[in-house]
């Protein structure tokens, strides 16, 4: 596949591996037909979903973003040393805000590759980086990072030393067994720097994922708006509500959309029934202790090199090396 070249209106080179709508439709139907209805978290991120996620990052309850940024600021020099002269590949790059802290401390990085499923948001974030960091080449790769990265098709990654950056606790969206498979897949990038949210009380965790202003709820419910628009469905949002609760035994926040009544929803010519109270799972967000995450990393063939944390030990940033 050939990338789209930079133009005046879009100055960023884009490699577009966004799945077609037909794949979205089959994945949604497959999820809605399971006994526990489920959607992949990646579907939350259309243009509006990415904007709502950025709004979540600003919320007082959402300690994750500001804490991880503080860890990056406090340790920028040490982390920049780990980056060395490599091509920096950020998985789930979103608005590419956190990488700005590292780029400020690591002038030797000349190529940044942002990988994200939310195409327009990704292009805008890469364009903003190029405008703000002179001499930096920012490449946009619109792809599902849970699938093997199509490195052969991305010329900037050919025969160049790379390092992977995976912040934002996105790794928490994967089930622990999937974490091992995922880390093995991205091992092709070499060393990794991964942001992992730490175990803590439900009193801190639940408001972070279900804030007082209802932004998290709007973010989750937006997936129904997207399905209505892209797949010709007729979800009535007033008949669903968002829920987030911490399952301490499993060590994860469980996020779901609950049906407020018995109802049938149409997706084109397909009918899906919901019972009152039945839930559609939108996300799990696993929390780990440092040791729990290091064990998973080692099972995947990585050696933990360094862990950076904030004073309150809310969040952790792991430097992992291939064994
Ligand atoms: C939790 S946000 C984190 C954003 C940013 N890295 C941060 O730390 O604030 C997850 C990001 O990953 C992207 N994303 C989610 N699932 C994805 C997938 N399977 N493949 C590629 N991108 C994905 C979303 O579009 C979003 O930008």
């Amino acid at each position: 596949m050939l990338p789209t070249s930079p133009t005046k209106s879009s100055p960023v080179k884009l490699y577009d591996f966004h799945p077609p709508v037909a794949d979205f439709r089959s994945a949604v139907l497959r999820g809605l037909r399971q006994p526990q209805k489920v959607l992949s978290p990646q579907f939350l991120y259309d243009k509006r979903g990415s904007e709502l996620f950025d709004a979540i990052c600003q919320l007082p309850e959402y300690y994750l973003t500001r804490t991880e940024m503080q860890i990056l600021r406090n340790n920028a020099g040490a982390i920049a040393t780990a980056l060395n002269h490599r091509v920096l590949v950020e998985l789930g790059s979103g608005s590419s805000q956190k990488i700005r802290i590292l780029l400020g401390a690591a002038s030797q990085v000349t190529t940044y590759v942002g990988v994200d499923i939310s195409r327009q948001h990704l292009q805008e974030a890469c364009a903003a980086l190029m405008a703000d960091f002179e001499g930096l080449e920012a490449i946009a790769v619109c792809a599902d990072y849970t699938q093997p990265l199509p490195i052969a098709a991305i010329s900037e990654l050919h025969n160049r030393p790379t390092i992977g950056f995976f912040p934002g606790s996105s790794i928490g969206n994967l089930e622990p067994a999937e974490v091992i498979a995922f880390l093995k897949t991205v091992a092709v990038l070499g060393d990794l720097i991964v942001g992992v949210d730490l175990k803590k009380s439900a009193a801190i965790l639940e408001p972070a994922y279900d804030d007082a202003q209802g932004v998290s709820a709007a973010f989750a419910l937006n997936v129904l708006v997207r399905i209505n628009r892209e797949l010709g469905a007729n979800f009535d949002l007033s008949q669903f509500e968002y829920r987030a609760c911490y399952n301490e035994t499993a060590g994860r926040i469980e996020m779901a959309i609950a049906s407020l009544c018995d109802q049938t929803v149409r997706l084109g010519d397909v009918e899906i029934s919901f019972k009152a109270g039945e839930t559609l799972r939108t996300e799990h967000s696993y929390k780990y202790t440092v040791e729990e995450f290091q064990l998973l990393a080692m099972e995947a063939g990585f050696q933990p090199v360094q862990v950076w944390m904030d004073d309150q030990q809310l969040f952790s940033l792991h430097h992992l090396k291939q064994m």
Side-chain angles (χ1 to χ4, degrees), residues 41-42 45 50 53 57 62 65 68 90-95 98 115-118 143-146 167-168 170 173:
Q42 67 174 286
Y45 296 93
S50 293
F53 180 75
C57 292
Y62 199 73
T65 302
E68 191 177 25
E90 181 172 4
L91 302 165
S93 47
S95 292
K98 292 170 183 165
V115 180
D116 205 287
I117 202 68
S118 188
D144 175 356
Y145 58 56
T146 62
S170 296
N173 284 149

Side-chain angles (χ1 to χ4, degrees), residues 73-96:
R73 268 185 219 107
N74 289 348
N75 302 283
I79 303 170
T81 306
L83 300 182
N84 205 351
H85 286 273
R86 299 182 237 207
V87 175
L88 215 155
V89 182
E90 181 172 4
L91 302 165
S93 47
S95 292
S96 299

